[in-house]
Amino acid sequence: VQLQASGGGLVQAGGSLRLSCLASGRPLNNYAVGWFRQAPGKKREFVAGISWSGGSTYYADSVKGRFTISRDDSKNTAYLQLSSLKPEDAAVYSCAADILGRLIQGQSDIWGQGTLVTVSS
């Protein structure tokens, strides 16, 4: 499976964006999906994950209550809704597919190209 993230852009603090992760090559419902971000000079960090069924979701403490991960397997797409954005949320956001446990640990063999989120204060 190949993944392509999109939807990034420039937004003011307090604003919202929806990121998409489009899968091709294989059905996305074979995989759990995770979103990660990497800011300049920082390590990549896990942001959110959703199980292959969509029945379980996990979030980093820094985004709980503000970000929502979801998936629409009929569109072979996973989403990350970003709300109440803060300047510290600015980063390149990437999606990955694997089993959920590995994703939460930051591990995957399948990564999509990232999309840049910029938050102005």
Side-chain angles (χ1 to χ4, degrees):
V1 64
Q2 292 80 44
L3 304 176
Q4 177 65 56
S6 62
L10 173 63
V11 63
Q12 288 187 330
S16 300
L17 280 175
R18 188 176 78 159
L19 307 183
S20 299
C21 176
L22 175 63
S24 60
R26 294 189 70 178
L28 189 61
N29 61 11
N30 289 334
Y31 304 90
V33 177
W35 282 95
F36 298 80
R37 67 186 181 187
Q38 187 167 20
K42 295 188 176 181
K43 292 183 178 180
R44 183 174 61 202
E45 64 173 341
F46 171 82
V47 174
I50 187 167
S51 62
W52 66 271
S53 67
S56 297
T57 56
Y58 292 87
Y59 297 92
D61 288 343
S62 59
V63 306
K64 278 181 183 177
R66 299 187 300 119
F67 292 7
T68 303
I69 190 171
S70 61
R71 62 190 301 155
D72 184 346
D73 290 330
S74 70
K75 297 181 178 179
N76 237 24
T77 302
Y79 303 97
L80 185 68
Q81 178 70 41
L82 290 65
S83 302
S84 301
L85 281 161
K86 305 175 181 179
E88 53 263 41
D89 294 318
V92 174
Y93 285 71
S94 303
C95 55
D98 210 294
I99 60 174
L100 190 54
R102 278 173 50 86
L103 291 169
I104 293 171
Q105 296 299 319
Q107 299 170 352
S108 177
D109 294 326
I110 304 169
W111 292 90
Q113 187 175 2
T115 185
L116 177 64
V117 173
T118 304
V119 183
S120 63
S121 57

